[in-house]
Amino acid sequence: MMFKDPWNPTQEEIKKWAYSDEMAPEQDWELAIYKIENIPMICTFVEDEQCEHTSYFLNTLYVFTGDMVRVGREIQKLSQLLDTIENTTKSKELKLWIERSQLLIEYPEYYDNSYWGLCSKFVYE
């Protein structure tokens, strides 16, 4: 699969990759796709059993929250996004991500890169 620019992928390119069996186009590609406007779409991939990369996208959500809280960027937007997703999600994985994210927002001093960074222990252990 070809990306015009893997570090600035379109939502359509991300969606195509989500349903492919290909490896991520770049190392640490989570950082390229975790823009706030992509988060609702990423959540749909986590909930879709047809998606080939559900763990990858779940990890992306943890990295997204961790980075937002760690640098103190757009916390209000993040909180609103979590509230919106919480009202529609059915999966226990997303509910747990939301719950953990809300706790991290409230207690940012508990940030731990091994849980909120790439290869999150929340996802891969």
Side-chain angles (χ1 to χ4, degrees):
M1 183 177 159
M2 295 296 293
F3 288 85
K4 191 172 182 181
D5 176 1
W7 286 106
N8 191 22
T10 65
Q11 287 192 343
E12 191 56 40
E13 289 172 330
I14 296 168
K15 186 174 184 174
K16 274 186 183 173
W17 180 79
Y19 295 96
S20 78
D21 61 357
E22 295 181 26
M23 303 274 296
E26 297 286 340
Q27 184 175 341
D28 303 339
W29 194 55
E30 296 94 327
L31 306 175
I33 64 173
Y34 77 171
K35 297 178 176 94
I36 201 157
E37 61 270 14
N38 289 341
I39 298 304
M41 176 182 67
I42 289 171
C43 289
T44 65
F45 298 148
V46 172
E47 290 193 307
D48 187 350
E49 292 175 10
Q50 303 302 311
C51 178
E52 295 288 329
H53 305 284
T54 54
S55 294
Y56 189 91
F57 286 115
L58 184 59
N59 184 66
T60 300
L61 295 175
Y62 280 103
V63 174
F64 171 74
T65 298
D67 283 358
M68 297 283 276
V69 172
R70 185 175 50 82
V71 299
R73 187 177 71 230
E74 300 185 88
I75 300 301
Q76 186 62 39
K77 270 189 182 178
L78 175 59
S79 290
Q80 291 169 342
L81 186 62
L82 293 169
D83 290 345
T84 302
I85 295 166
E86 189 174 32
N87 292 328
T88 58
T89 189
K90 293 166 182 56
S91 77
K92 65 178 172 48
E93 293 86 2
L94 280 183
K95 287 178 192 269
L96 197 52
W97 165 68
I98 291 165
E99 188 179 302
R100 289 170 171 161
S101 295
Q102 290 167 334
L103 277 170
L104 188 64
I105 290 168
E106 194 169 340
Y107 303 103
E109 64 273 17
Y110 291 129
Y111 173 86
D112 179 337
N113 190 60
S114 62
Y115 290 91
W116 296 99
L118 295 166
C119 300
S120 168
K121 288 183 177 181
F122 284 136
V123 178
Y124 296 112
E125 282 194 5

